[in-house]
Amino acid sequence: DILIGSRECNLHQPEVESDEIWKLFQSTGLQSLVSSLPGCDVLWNPKWDPSKHSYLCKDENGGTESTADDGDALDPLLGCHATMEAGSKGAIVDSISMIPGKRILVKDELSLWDDNFWINDRGYDPDVAEIDANDSSTIVMPYIYGNRRGVPYKLERVTRMFSAKANYDKTIQSLSLGIEIINEDLEWTLGDKYRTEMLFRNKMKAVHSALESKGFD
């Protein structure tokens, strides 16, 4: 599956042509659709590093758990995992949208399965670095974003793209795409066409209640 930028296209109907999207991609290239962050490239490996991917063995509160005993856990051996090319020290980049003009130290690890994507993404303020009061050899920086407990963002696949034509040429210019929903529980996240206003309010109320139970206002 390919996600091109954040451009929204009406692909949920099987016969919708997507020539325009492909032509845009072919004529302008990937660089025109995304912003590159120097030093933030990642290296993928089917093997996982327990020290760098420790979140694979943490529960929702940041405590350790046995992945073998948890029926909902994902087997690390069945996924592919990534670390930053810059290493565990991370990379300092200039913020583009979050805090324009602000420097951010980015640290990132990723884990990908067929239908799940975990993103352990953290951002720190390198301009307010201090020496740890309990360990003079450790430098601490305020969080800008990310989970302090070491719990990654956990994304689940909702749809899968497929070719809506039995035959298409090899240039892919005439490819027609469709989308099938494979996770009905999360179908409401696709937008207004897939939910009622009441359903959306109830879902968001549940999200707020979950955050409040964990101490977030």
Side-chain angles (χ1 to χ4, degrees):
D1 294 340
I2 300 176
L3 176 62
I4 302 177
S6 59
R7 179 163 179 165
E8 180 179 331
C9 33
N10 187 22
L11 296 178
H12 64 283
Q13 296 294 334
E15 293 300 325
V16 171
E17 294 286 340
S18 52
D19 291 352
E20 182 181 351
I21 302 299
W22 289 117
K23 289 179 180 178
L24 175 66
F25 177 73
Q26 291 175 326
S27 63
T28 62
L30 185 62
Q31 277 72 18
S32 66
L33 302 175
V34 298
S35 298
S36 176
L37 296 177
C40 292
D41 289 344
V42 296
L43 305 174
W44 289 95
N45 195 317
K47 297 181 180 179
W48 67 292
D49 186 327
S51 63
K52 297 176 181 177
H53 299 99
S54 59
Y55 56 82
L56 293 169
C57 298
K58 288 186 177 181
D59 59 25
E60 293 299 322
N61 296 313
T64 58
E65 66 178 5
S66 171
T67 56
D69 297 334
D70 187 350
D72 296 326
L74 295 168
D75 189 343
L77 299 178
L78 298 180
C80 200
H81 312 280
T83 55
M84 290 181 65
E85 190 176 31
S88 58
K89 67 180 185 298
I92 295 179
V93 301
D94 293 324
S95 176
I96 298 174
S97 58
M98 185 172 292
I99 310 176
K102 178 67 177 174
R103 297 198 313 158
I104 298 178
L105 173 63
V106 176
K107 295 186 177 183
D108 202 5
E109 296 90 33
L110 311 169
S111 292
L112 178 67
W113 294 266
D114 287 345
D115 296 323
N116 297 82
F117 187 26
W118 289 10
I119 307 171
N120 192 33
D121 189 20
R122 294 94 66 212
Y124 304 85
D125 187 345
D127 298 322
V128 194
E130 299 178 349
I131 297 177
D132 191 332
N134 300 317
D135 184 357
S136 59
S137 64
T138 302
I139 302 297
V140 295
M141 289 171 278
Y143 261 83
I144 295 178
Y145 62 85
N147 191 298
R148 296 173 185 267
R149 301 184 180 93
V151 179
Y153 304 105
K154 298 182 178 181
L155 285 67
E156 296 182 40
R157 182 187 295 277
V158 181
T159 64
R160 192 181 302 279
M161 299 178 69
F162 64 94
S163 170
K165 282 187 175 180
N167 299 307
Y168 53 90
D169 61 39
K170 295 181 180 180
T171 65
I172 213 170
Q173 291 180 351
S174 64
L175 176 63
S176 181
L177 297 177
I179 284 184
E180 61 176 333
I181 296 172
I182 64 171
N183 189 334
E184 294 184 356
D185 290 339
L186 293 177
E187 181 179 357
W188 68 275
T189 64
L190 296 176
D192 293 339
K193 294 180 180 180
Y194 300 88
R195 65 192 181 217
T196 63
E197 181 64 25
M198 180 62 70
L199 176 61
F200 180 69
R201 289 183 180 181
N202 290 338
K203 292 293 187 180
M204 295 311 298
K205 184 177 180 180
V207 171
H208 291 313
S209 297
L211 291 174
E212 289 177 352
S213 69
K214 294 183 179 296
F216 296 97
D217 296 328

